Amino acid sequence: GAGVSQSPRYKVAKRGQDVALRCDPISGHVSLFWYQQALGQGPEFLTYFQNEAQLDKSGLPSDRFFAERPEGSVSTLKIQRTQQEDSAVYLCASSLGTSGTYNEQFFGPGTRLTVL
Amino acid sequence: QKEVEQNSGPLSVPEGAIASLNCTYSDRGSQSFFWYRQYSGKSPELIMFIYSNGDKEDGRFTAQLNKASQYVSLLIRDSQPSDSATYLCAVPGGSYIPTFGRGTSLIVHP
């Protein structure tokens, strides 16, 4: 596709449920980032992939959060046993190069997660 | 802990005025600085980046960087209602993973 796509766009989960959020980056983009954006806040970094390698997961808030990019393209962010504080918009971004030199990040539309 | 600070606003300006948005950062080693625009309910989009001290102009937008004082600003000339959005300042760290400020909400009223 022409841009970064994410699915689902909206997700409502009951507390304790597991959810999986998908990101399709721009074709050929090496770097992929996940961010969490709470209402009225800027995006908070969660994790970074260079191709299939997860090089930085320092922003994942707990071990309930897990991300993968097994073939270096599509990525999935999984949240186990969701809690109300997990409610936020989850943004995926991709860039052409590696984090060694800053490349413009292109953001997807986000997935709005609401945990009841 | 790298910090990027922005006044959340809202900053309200009349149509045609200059809007001035400011951002301060804590990491003296930061080399590059980015401004993103985020419309309500949409994802951020890059509008400006700056590496060197001084001003960088792109159309109605001017980014200003002062590394000694650790601030970067964004000026929007001839503000239009379509400029109403949240403006995010982003500062990459040592690994070039950016830290975002909370954003400043700009409202341009006719």
Side-chain angles (χ1 to χ4, degrees):
Chain A
V4 179
S5 61
Q6 292 185 246
S7 62
R9 292 292 314 278
Y10 303 91
K11 177 68 178 179
V12 178
K14 292 183 178 179
R15 189 172 56 186
Q17 280 186 331
D18 297 348
V19 298
L21 312 180
R22 176 188 169 106
C23 172
D24 279 87
I26 294 173
S27 179
H29 276 198
V30 170
S31 296
L32 186 146
F33 302 78
W34 282 99
Y35 296 90
Q36 181 190 61
Q37 187 172 24
L39 190 64
Q41 301 295 319
E44 293 277 348
F45 168 77
L46 293 177
T47 187
Y48 162 67
F49 289 87
Q50 182 178 320
N51 295 307
E52 70 278 3
Q54 188 175 23
L55 297 188
D56 191 325
K57 56 181 181 179
S58 62
L60 297 176
S62 78
D63 59 6
R64 297 186 295 105
F65 287 72
F66 172 78
E68 61 183 3
R69 193 186 185 196
E71 298 179 357
S73 178
V74 172
S75 178
T76 303
L77 176 67
K78 298 179 180 179
I79 309 173
Q80 297 177 324
R81 305 181 303 282
T82 53
Q83 303 295 315
Q84 286 188 323
E85 61 263 28
D86 299 335
S87 296
V89 175
Y90 289 85
L91 293 167
C92 175
S94 71
S95 64
L96 183 60
T98 67
S99 67
T101 54
Y102 190 84
N103 290 264
E104 178 179 356
Q105 294 190 8
F106 295 85
F107 283 84
T111 294
R112 182 178 296 278
L113 173 65
T114 302
V115 181
L116 302 177
Chain B
Q1 178 76 12
K2 300 179 179 63
E3 294 184 353
V4 177
E5 300 289 338
Q6 293 183 260
N7 188 320
S8 62
L11 172 66
S12 182
V13 301
E15 184 174 357
I18 296 175
S20 178
L21 306 161
N22 299 310
C23 170
T24 60
Y25 59 94
S26 62
D27 185 358
R28 283 195 168 274
S30 298
Q31 297 295 316
S32 54
F33 307 85
F34 299 80
W35 284 99
Y36 285 79
R37 177 176 62 200
Q38 187 173 26
Y39 292 113
S40 180
K42 303 295 184 182
S43 56
E45 58 178 328
L46 183 68
I47 55 172
M48 287 284 286
F49 63 89
I50 186 168
Y51 297 99
S52 304
N53 269 334
D55 295 0
K56 179 182 178 182
E57 188 173 316
D58 183 2
R60 294 186 297 111
F61 298 94
T62 298
Q64 299 177 320
L65 174 59
N66 184 322
K67 290 186 178 181
S69 300
Q70 295 177 242
Y71 80 80
V72 56
S73 60
L74 179 70
L75 301 179
I76 306 174
R77 291 183 300 281
D78 188 25
S79 296
Q80 301 297 308
S82 60
D83 295 326
S84 298
T86 295
Y87 290 81
L88 299 162
C89 174
V91 182
S95 61
Y96 293 88
I97 294 173
T99 298
F100 285 83
R102 65 181 299 174
T104 298
S105 174
L106 172 67
I107 299 172
V108 181
H109 53 87

